[in-house]
Amino acid sequence: MIIESVTLHHIKMNLKSPFRNSLETVFDRELIIVEVKDAEGEVGFGEGVAFQTPWYTEETLNTSWHMLRDVMIPLLKSRSISHPSEVDRMLSGIRRNPMAKFAIEGAIWDLYAKKEGISLAEALGGTSKKIKAGVAVGASDPDTMLEEISNRISEGYERIKVKIKPSQDVSILRAIRERYPNLSLMADANSAYSLQELNQLKALDAFNLLMIEQPLAADDIVDHAILQKELKTPICLDESITSFDDARRALDLNSCQVINIKPGRVGGLTASKKIHDLCKSKGVPVWCGGMLESGIGRAHNIALSSLSNFILPGDVSASTRYWEKDIIDPEVVVKDGCIDVPQGKGIGYEMDRNELERVTIVKEVY
């Protein structure tokens, strides 16, 4: 493959309802769609999932755009690439900026799979034909959250994740457990706690949670190891894992019993696969987290989740969970709690060019 041109689309999509966590409320989702074209006219798509403000990581949409435009595109354009795994090495001299890396690397993975005439899942080594769908419920009052959980269960989701924080944890989880004692339930803290709340966190053991996600600081591995020794509930690390080496260290320290793999957070599909393989060798299950993606990013997550150690339902939900209309055709659908893994070439979904144009704020071609 020789990348002849790269188009960046800055898009803005309106969420059907605001999404709240312990740090921020998101009303609209701005994203970067990366479109790569080779000399033969074949096109691949990727997605930059950084948020507008640095509440999740230090990377933002504007910094991702800058890194893509000024550093990564010039580095990769006109280079001969025989396999997308080479992109990870080509970009290795650039520190951090994982979401920008994933945006362009994901597009090249899609392009490669299309040129090979295979699905992205097959290109990655995935074997599952269906993946189990989970869903996240934003923080709100107990009645509103219970109503949304009821709606999601009726839609077929097999695992519910709820957002918690020190002022809103036991009350929420108790209300959910009273109504749904056998629900597959996990709690996501988005780094809202410290070891000073150890007793408060230990109290969550009473609710038979599948896991508690990222209770402590986003850059911590050591304190999580201390906390995991005190908890019966498995800890799942999210923000703390930004690379293969982070995952290796966390497993060596017994900082967690589960890892959430988000390709945007770890720098791409190649890095995600390496972390998956490491966790599988250690007997540690993984699942794929969500970043309020459009259908392009969601399609990459579906393909990644077809790998064999993604045994827990991820945050890979239907397009209609967040959008009145997605930018792909067909849209992602959940049926009987599962999503079919596309078997067509590349990501297996077509770009809806009219909808892409409608939601685009800025478009630049390089």
Side-chain angles (χ1 to χ4, degrees), residues 97-115:
N97 297 284
M99 295 179 188
K101 290 178 179 178
F102 167 54
I104 194 161
E105 188 231 31
I108 293 172
W109 268 104
D110 181 33
L111 174 65
Y112 169 80
K114 287 172 177 172
K115 291 183 72 67

Side-chain angles (χ1 to χ4, degrees), residues 221-222 224-226 229 247-256:
I221 289 177
V222 175
H224 277 104
I226 296 171
K229 290 178 183 178
R248 176 182 57 79
R249 295 182 189 108
L251 296 181
D252 286 347
L253 290 172
N254 296 313
S255 302
C256 62

